[in-house]
Structures are given as structure tokens and as C-alpha cells.
Amino acid sequence: MKHDFEDIEVKQNAPELLEMALKSKRKKCMVGTGAMSDPYNHYEEELRITRRCLEIIDRYEYGLAILTKSTRILRDLDLLQSINEKAKCVVQMTLTTYDEELCKIVEPNVSTTKERFDVLMQLKETGIPTVVWLTPILPFINDSEENLRGILDYCVQANVKGIIAFGMGLTLREGDREYYYAALDSHFPGLKKKYIQTYGNAYELPSPNEKRLLRIFHDICREYEIMDTPDACFRYLHDLPERYIQQSLFD
């Protein structure tokens, strides 16, 4: 990108491009969005590009796997329900920090964890399946057993289908590292030095508590029959059940 990380470029013609793509496909499938940029950032309130895309997905009876950190998704609950009835809709929410005040520091300008949990509970009531992303876990910040158990308790209450976790830690590329360390200096004075002493310039930064946290994570997921591997979760997100495909063919 040639602009600041926080700046947003709007893909104004996204709905038109999406409709062209769906018209040209010969087989129904899941449509995924939200991996690179939140589809419910604050500009969506005015632009409604995501809603227009959902209307197209609903009209052509495709499935949807959408990822967000925002309660704004509830504004499109009518479309999510319609997509789920005609095909399959999976809403994914990122949950990493159980403590609300800490969440406001590490994830500013988005809905708090409690607010996102409330979204998951409303989706549960409407029968829309959900998946949680438990990433990243920040060493020396939210990599505690108390934090993990709090997040997992939310997941159990919301009856999520799966939880995606790539270990317990984070990754830092060049550029990301400088941005992250500047944030540490601002909010956690002295912690950057601990990171440098512990990890140097490593790309992968696993929590010192990783083994214990992973054991807790897998034990609780298996107890409540929650998918706990990325592969299983991604298969679920990509799979459009055959019954939906057959139904659309013979409508």
C-alpha cells in the first residue's frame, strides 16, 4: 500500500463485480469475506456496500462465511437469516481478550468482546451457526489461563461450532513489528524490552504459557464438542451442503 495502514480504500464496484462472478459460476458455493478487512467498518453505516453484496448473495442463493469484529452485522440480520434458510450462513467473530478494559486497549475502535459475545448469543437464538477466531494471543498481555477460560466460556454459552486458533501467540513481519512495538511503548511501557529479550526479531512469538493454554483449549473444546483445529473449521466454512445445492437446482 502507498498510504497509511489505518487508511481505507473503498471498492465501490464490489457489488457489481460480485454479481458478475456469481452469474458466471456453474455450481453454488460459499462466499467468504472479512479475512483482509472488516466488512463492517464504520464507513459501512453510510455506504452499505456489504449489505448490497449480501442482497446479491441472497438473491442468487449462495452460501456465506463472513468475519467481523462489529455489532453492525446485526443490522443485516434479516439477510443473514434469509441466506441461512436458502443455503448456509456462518458468522465468524474474533474473540481474544476477556477483560473489557484490556480489550479496549488492544482492540481500539471496534466492538468490545462482551458486545461481540452478545452478537453471538443473538445469532444462536436465530439458528445462524458461528465460528470464533482466537487469534492473536499476545504474550505477557492476554496469554493467561483466566483470559482463555473467560473466552472459552463465552464460546460454550454461544454454542459456537468451532474455534480457530493457530497456537497461542502472534506473528510479526517487518513493518508489523515496528507498528506493534510503538503501541507497546504507548500502552505498556517497558514491555517492548521484554519482547526483544525473549524473541529478538523472530517471526513467530509463542506465549511462554502456550503448552498449558493449548491443553486447556483442546480439553474444553472436546468436552463441549466444539471443532478445535483450523482444518476442521475451514472445511466447515467452505462446505455448502449437498441438500442446498440440489434444492436450488430443482426449485
Side-chain angles (χ1 to χ4, degrees):
M1 297 184 294
K2 297 180 180 179
H3 53 73
D4 291 337
F5 179 77
E6 293 86 353
D7 288 349
I8 297 171
E9 290 184 1
V10 178
K11 198 173 286 188
Q12 297 278 10
N13 64 339
E16 290 77 16
L17 293 175
L18 175 63
E19 185 160 19
M20 288 174 56
L22 298 189
K23 278 183 176 180
S24 67
K25 289 191 69 65
R26 299 181 64 182
K27 184 179 179 180
K28 297 291 179 69
C29 63
M30 297 289 287
V31 178
T33 188
M36 299 304 294
S37 179
D38 197 310
Y40 287 100
N41 67 61
H42 56 282
Y43 286 112
E44 177 61 14
E45 293 187 12
E46 175 186 350
L47 298 176
R48 291 178 168 266
I49 291 176
T50 296
R51 182 169 180 88
R52 287 166 57 199
C53 289
L54 296 186
E55 290 171 342
I56 294 167
I57 293 169
D58 182 46
R59 188 187 322 136
Y60 286 91
E61 300 187 2
Y62 276 70
L64 171 70
I66 188 166
L67 170 63
T68 184
K69 292 183 178 182
S70 176
T71 60
R72 294 186 186 95
I73 193 171
L74 292 178
R75 298 183 179 188
D76 294 335
L77 187 57
D78 58 328
L79 284 169
L80 301 177
Q81 288 179 283
S82 181
I83 292 170
N84 197 45
E85 290 168 1
K86 295 175 182 176
K88 175 183 174 183
C89 175
V90 185
V91 174
Q92 305 160 76
M93 301 289 286
T94 300
L95 303 180
T96 64
T97 309
Y98 183 71
D99 181 273
E100 287 290 279
E101 294 307 311
L102 181 59
C103 176
K104 292 173 184 177
I105 295 173
V106 300
E107 295 181 292
N109 306 318
V110 296
S111 302
T112 68
T113 297
K114 178 61 168 60
E115 290 169 338
R116 283 176 252 168
F117 166 65
D118 291 339
V119 171
L120 292 173
M121 292 299 286
Q122 291 189 55
L123 294 170
K124 173 187 174 182
E125 292 176 5
T126 60
I128 294 173
T130 54
V131 167
V132 161
W133 286 71
L134 184 63
T135 181
I137 296 297
L138 309 178
F140 316 121
I141 297 176
N142 65 353
D143 60 339
S144 67
E145 180 176 337
E146 179 184 12
N147 180 71
L148 177 62
R149 289 189 181 276
I151 295 295
L152 293 177
D153 182 59
Y154 276 164
C155 292
V156 170
Q157 290 185 60
N159 194 29
V160 303
K161 294 290 185 181
I163 304 174
I164 297 173
F166 299 98
M168 295 289 164
L170 80 159
T171 58
L172 290 179
R173 295 182 176 87
E174 186 176 349
D176 294 341
R177 184 179 296 105
E178 289 75 11
Y179 184 90
Y180 182 66
Y181 281 175
L184 289 182
D185 282 337
S186 177
H187 298 289
F188 306 96
L191 194 52
K192 181 177 77 172
K193 181 179 179 181
K194 189 172 184 178
Y195 266 75
I196 294 172
Q197 291 174 340
T198 305
Y199 301 108
N201 290 322
Y203 170 68
E204 295 184 356
L205 287 68
S207 164
N209 306 320
E210 182 173 48
K211 289 184 179 179
R212 178 166 56 88
L213 295 178
L214 282 175
R215 184 168 60 251
I216 294 169
F217 168 68
H218 290 300
D219 286 348
I220 291 178
C221 285
R222 287 162 188 166
E223 179 180 356
Y224 291 96
E225 298 182 343
I226 299 171
M227 290 180 288
D228 62 349
T229 66
D231 285 348
C233 292
F234 288 141
R235 281 196 300 269
Y236 178 74
L237 293 171
H238 282 87
D239 177 50
L240 183 62
E242 189 67 27
R243 66 178 183 276
Y244 294 131
I245 299 172
Q246 291 177 347
Q247 185 177 3
S248 66
L249 286 173
F250 294 103
D251 280 346

